Amino acid sequence: MNLFCVGLSHHSADVETLERFGGHAEIDCLLRTSGCAEALLLSTCNRVEVYAASVSRVSTLDIARCLDRRIDSHMSPESAPFYRYEDAQCVRHLFRVASGVDSMVVGETEILGQTKKAYEAARASGAAGRYLHRLFQRAFRVAKQVRTHTDIARGAVSIGSVAVDLAQKIFGDLGNCKVLVLGAGDTSEKTARALVSRGVSDLRVSNRSGERAENLAQLTAARVVPFERWIDECREIDILITSTSADVALLGRDQLAPILRARIDRPLFIIDIAVPRNVDADVDALDGVYLYDIDSLQSIADQSLAMRREQIDAAEQIIAQHVAEFDESIARGLNYAARTSDHPAVDDSSLSPSES
Amino acid sequence: MDRYLLIVSTLCFLAAIAHTVLEIRNRVFQPMRFTFLAVGLGFIFQTAFLSVRGHALGRCPITNLFEVIIFVAWSAALFYMVVGPAYRLSLMGAFTAPLVVVLQLIALLAPIDHPHRARLRVNSWLEFHASMSLVAYGAFALACIAGVMYLVQERQLKTHHLHSLFYHLPPLTDLFSAIVRLLWWGFVLYTLGLISGFFVGEPLPWTQIVCATGVWILYALILQGRYLRWFAPKRVAALCIIGFSAALTLLWGITFTAQTHAP
């Protein structure tokens, strides 16, 4: 049995090409027309891949035809930027994909969920048999091991998720945190939503324009605070998100220092995503205040991404070990798989929420 | 023979440190597993040492500075075993191990293991007083370690430079709540130890009383300062480190005077 993978990804194709092939894929075509014994289609915004097992060789063009019926039948496979991996290379590629090593944002965990869904769909339709079952079960194990034994999924890589990560590192459980959003811009709304998704329930909004504050408050189930009274809220809140279009700083050290004396044992996390900044930089020198502007958040996101990239070697070592083991088990003729006729559903419990 | 148990225990704690350093360097740190196992094993050997020494002495093995230092190290490991997993302070083992290693190396290398010429009289109140006070030192040691972790985490948050360690350290508020609880545990146990000192039935040297009261006042001030909000959490964390350093120095004074007044 030949095990192979044919596909397109962000490495080889632009978005337009991915859309063209991703939107027209049919699993039945892969099984009936192309002659695959087993087939699985993985289609995400960054990749369109077919994993298949066949008795005789199935050409890349046959797979490409199934992915896009509009393709010219006289068109040579070389004209589309498809890649093809066979046997051990295919196994390695899938392990890299499932582990997030091959992703555009290295270490992202969304791909594992998407791979599990693709496997579930193929299993439910009967397109995935014992070869793909074994391959994908092993891929899920590898992905879990890579995430557990390396820092590849560690650290946030977008502004909103960096802010949420920092808030969790300061306050732990965000359920009891009080958040004030100053300014009703798009970025502050996204950050506020990210905080709400992690458990924040006490959200307050203040804006010069009461109407926009009301709109944002309705969208995020927040309470509106009159703009002239927002500074008083600093006595109570734990997190302040500022994103007003003010030309001068709205909060300085002299204003905040007396407020902090009344709340000495509680930290204050300020996320200043306004340009120009709404909060004076010297506020950060105050004890218990953690001030992050857009540059520092971006810098942390970059650090995290660099840290994740440093983990690729460690991840590749784990993957290589599993590829060798899997190759050996294939050589043994899938004795174990042959004894098991049914293929269990995927355990989704290890899935973590995706970023951004 | 009993010193070998202590050497093996020290090696276990050293293994915990080496493993943590290597993993953090390679950025593949897996908290809890190896560290907890190594510290747990080290703790078992510490307990075996104290047990062997206790049987030989026929009393609680805190008769000289050597044994007192080991007892404090044992108390610190004991509190880590109880507090670390309970508060999910995954990295605390990695921070506890160096303190224990330093204490045990001092005890093993310094010529301070002087056996008493005469067999010491057994006084259960005195033993309760001393052992309770030293177990309290274990809580103060852990509060000091949590204080170090707090300052490391706080520094990273302030400078915006997040090392790989940042992701493994607990949140600031969790660390601070652990510090306060450990301080309370230590303070209550130390107070019990201090009160039991009044029932030993023999006069204690005044320097020992002054030093012991000094430690009690020091921690009472830290807790009072925290309660009245005199100090920000960062300052409480720093005071835990200063306080434990001072308490260790005073412990040396207490043990020294106890030894010189012993028969």
Side-chain angles (χ1 to χ4, degrees), chain A residues 40-190:
Chain A
L40 183 147
L41 177 70
L42 176 63
S43 180
T44 73
C45 49
N46 284 326
R47 69 181 67 243
V48 182
E49 289 178 338
V50 172
Y51 293 86
S54 65
V55 179
S56 56
R57 186 183 159 87
V58 176
S59 73
T60 303
L61 182 60
D62 286 340
I63 299 291
R65 279 194 188 120
C66 292
L67 291 176
D68 181 5
R69 284 177 178 170
R70 291 173 302 171
I71 202 165
D72 183 350
S73 58
H74 302 296
M75 183 182 170
S76 76
E78 286 77 27
S79 64
F82 280 98
Y83 46 77
R84 184 183 180 104
Y85 299 109
E86 307 265 358
D87 302 323
Q89 286 296 313
C90 166
V91 174
R92 180 173 175 269
H93 179 70
L94 175 64
F95 291 178
R96 293 182 87 250
V97 168
S99 308
V101 174
D102 197 57
S103 296
M104 187 182 271
V105 177
V106 173
E108 55 100 4
T109 52
E110 198 174 1
I111 185 66
L112 181 58
Q114 290 164 331
T115 312
K116 285 185 175 183
K117 274 185 186 156
Y119 169 73
E120 268 304 305
R123 191 186 68 88
S125 68
R130 60 187 174 126
Y131 279 86
L132 292 184
H133 162 72
R134 257 203 127 176
L135 175 65
F136 276 80
Q137 290 298 332
R138 176 61 80 109
F140 303 146
R141 264 175 61 199
V142 175
K144 191 178 177 190
Q145 195 178 334
V146 166
R147 272 192 298 154
T148 321
H149 288 81
T150 71
D151 274 348
I152 200 154
R154 190 74 67 179
V157 289
S158 70
I159 301 272
S161 47
V162 167
V164 174
D165 265 15
L166 288 169
Q168 284 185 318
K169 276 295 173 191
I170 296 170
F171 300 103
D173 177 19
L174 298 181
N176 297 321
C177 284
K178 300 179 181 78
V179 180
L180 172 65
V181 180
L182 187 63
D186 189 41
T187 323
S188 57
E189 183 195 325
K190 277 183 186 161

Side-chain angles (χ1 to χ4, degrees), chain B residues 72-146:
Chain B
V72 171
W74 175 82
S75 305
L78 171 74
F79 268 93
Y80 161 69
M81 304 295 287
V82 175
V83 169
Y87 290 98
R88 296 172 186 237
L89 302 178
S90 50
L91 255 185
M92 190 168 251
F95 280 77
T96 307
L99 176 74
V100 173
V101 165
V102 168
L103 287 174
Q104 292 193 175
L105 282 179
I106 290 171
L108 282 166
L109 299 175
I112 50 173
D113 189 13
H114 303 300
H116 284 275
R117 284 182 293 276
R119 193 172 175 87
L120 291 169
R121 206 156 38 83
V122 176
N123 180 330
S124 29
W125 274 111
L126 187 62
E127 282 187 47
F128 178 81
H129 155 74
S131 56
M132 200 50 71
S133 308
L134 291 178
V135 170
Y137 263 75
F140 293 147
L142 257 277
C144 164
I145 287 161

